[in-house]
Amino acid sequence: MGPMIMFNQVNKWYGAYQALTNLSAEINTGEVVVVCGPSGSGKSTLIRTVNRLEPIDDGQIVFDGIDIHGSSTRLNQLRTRIGFVFQSFNLFPHVSVAENIMMSPMKVLGVKRTEARRQAGELLERVGLSHKADAYPAQLSGGQQQRVAIARALAMKPPVMLFDEPTSALDPEMVGEVLSVMRGLAQEGMTMMCVTHEMNFARDVADTIWFMDQGQILEKSKPEQFFTQPQHPRAQRFLSDLRSH
Amino acid sequence: MFEIFTILHDNGMLLLMGQYPNGPIGGVLCTLLISVLAVLLAFPIGVLLGLARLSPWRWLSWPATGWVYLLRGIPLMMVVFWTYFCVPLLIGHNISGFATMLCTLVIYESAYIAEIVRGGIQALPHGQYEASRALGMSHLKTLRLVILPQALFNTLPSLVSQLVSIIKDSTLGYVINVPELTFAANQVSNQLLTKPFQVFAIVALSYYLICFSLTWLANKLEAHIAQKRRQAPPQPASVAPAVMLTKPSSQ
């Protein structure tokens, strides 16, 4: 069986600025990839190209045999199979927590309301928020909102989950609750791609770490290797900068 | 002061409903009817125009933008005249003053509503649109289920003030013989000859009462919905301990 996601010579420009440069990589089924690197290195751009929130200019990204940026790709159907969690949660503030989770299964997959409600209950239990089903997003803390956002993405039963700096907008004491939900997902065998600055999470959970700078993946390695003996000089500098504070 | 009550006693029904039921509906009721109909028709057109202005397709956004700029750049009185003279030419027979004024209001106000709706949509965080699309919802489903419910709620105060504007703008129907409140008041004033101040005091007060109570209602509605969305203050995470999927390790 081939890789679940494959980047093949991907290039992307913002005007004259090249955000991704000849980037090739792959993610296997069940693999947890953590993407790290300095600000502006193209991490978020890269993860956002996977469900086509960002277009690419050149190359190919293949998900489960489908060319994501192909002109005949059925984008909405594709996106139902790729869970995406944003840095800023982006819950829908005008509907309750349960409705946030039920909306896309009902409106896109055509799941019946009672079934969607039952499933939302299960997902909320999984992220430890059963008692918040009828609350509105504004009544939740940041950590709780992000856990709901994860539940909302899981409601589509995607085979892969993408996390774009899921804890960067959180107060420090709320980071742990979100990461523990993500750990749980990883242990259940979910294929995951996470952009994060949480190096402990990367060390404990990642199967592979991609270190990015200037739109390229400079190093792909196992966490134990990445944190003890990084190969690329830029990665060495990045890690020593992290340790110095 | 006493004269105002006498005028109201003698001409109250004329001011309230014109010649009705012996003639066309007029007075306050006509004002309300034309305004409500104008809103009911202009609102969906305005929403569509606003969406068209934001659409990624130029063949849709450019005409909508042109339409909005054109109408916002000319006085309502011009639109009244243009409709009054052009519509009969276009459709080949005369239409009533009421229908003319209704058309005018719909054409003119939809441009303003479009701008309100556009502002409301653009004020939403872009993440709302992206989150909805990332869940697999189409552009139109996203607009219908995520964007418009929020944008329209947020613009409710502006939309109500636009309705108030429409009510006030409907006075221009006077010049093309729509028997609305101002027209009825002028009839009364012409009959009484010597009491224009009292008559128009009644008219001003009537407009004020209608418009003020609408604003008041809108504020109530807004407060009610806002309160529903945050019945309880946000709770600190410690109050509701999460049932962790796995044992949390130290970060």
Side-chain angles (χ1 to χ4, degrees), chain B residues 49 53 62-76 78-79 82 107-112 115:
Chain B
L49 264 178
R53 281 205 62 183
W62 284 12
T65 304
W67 181 251
V68 168
Y69 274 115
L70 177 71
L71 282 163
R72 296 204 317 156
I74 52 178
L76 177 56
M78 287 302 104
V79 188
W82 275 91
I107 292 169
Y108 192 74
E109 303 295 343
S110 59
Y112 285 84
E115 285 299 87

Side-chain angles (χ1 to χ4, degrees), chain A residues 41-229:
Chain A
S41 58
K43 310 181 297 285
S44 283
T45 304
L46 178 68
I47 202 168
R48 287 164 59 86
T49 59
V50 179
N51 70 349
R52 223 164 108 178
L53 284 177
E54 294 285 348
I56 59 174
D57 296 302
D58 192 18
Q60 235 189 355
I61 302 175
V62 181
F63 163 71
D64 200 13
I66 306 161
D67 177 11
I68 289 174
H69 293 262
S71 54
S72 61
T73 301
R74 292 175 65 195
L75 186 58
N76 293 326
Q77 197 196 32
L78 177 82
R79 281 171 169 164
T80 62
R81 302 179 55 213
I82 303 176
F84 199 99
V85 176
F86 296 84
Q87 179 179 351
S88 49
F89 329 137
N90 295 338
L91 293 184
F92 306 135
H94 62 299
V95 293
S96 70
V97 163
E99 299 275 350
N100 261 279
I101 299 172
M102 292 154 65
M103 189 183 284
S104 50
M106 284 169 58
K107 300 296 177 181
V108 180
L109 304 179
V111 174
K112 292 266 183 302
R113 171 167 278 276
T114 48
E115 170 57 21
R117 176 81 201 190
R118 193 191 57 73
Q119 194 201 352
E122 279 176 15
L123 286 165
L124 282 172
E125 202 175 320
R126 248 175 112 177
V127 299
L129 290 170
S130 311
H131 56 301
K132 293 290 185 190
D134 296 315
Y136 280 82
Q139 298 163 345
L140 305 183
S141 71
Q144 291 172 331
Q145 289 193 45
Q146 191 62 299
R147 284 188 278 157
V148 173
I150 295 173
R152 180 175 70 176
L154 289 173
M156 302 301 276
K157 302 192 174 83
V160 57
M161 287 282 286
L162 310 177
F163 295 86
D164 185 10
E165 303 204 22
T167 57
S168 297
L170 294 175
D171 290 339
E173 79 267 23
M174 294 170 184
V175 170
E177 59 188 86
V178 171
L179 290 182
S180 79
V181 168
M182 290 167 62
R183 272 169 211 277
L185 277 175
Q187 280 171 4
E188 287 163 27
M190 176 67 80
T191 308
M192 289 164 62
M193 177 175 175
C194 316
V195 172
T196 183
H197 297 292
E198 297 293 333
M199 289 303 137
N200 289 327
F201 175 81
R203 193 193 325 255
D204 298 347
V205 180
D207 296 310
T208 313
I209 292 184
W210 295 355
F211 177 78
M212 281 188 76
D213 193 30
Q214 298 188 332
Q216 287 173 303
I217 299 178
L218 300 182
E219 181 160 347
K220 290 179 205 151
S221 49
K222 300 262 172 232
E224 52 269 32
Q225 192 195 350
F226 179 75
F227 286 105
T228 52
Q229 11 176 266

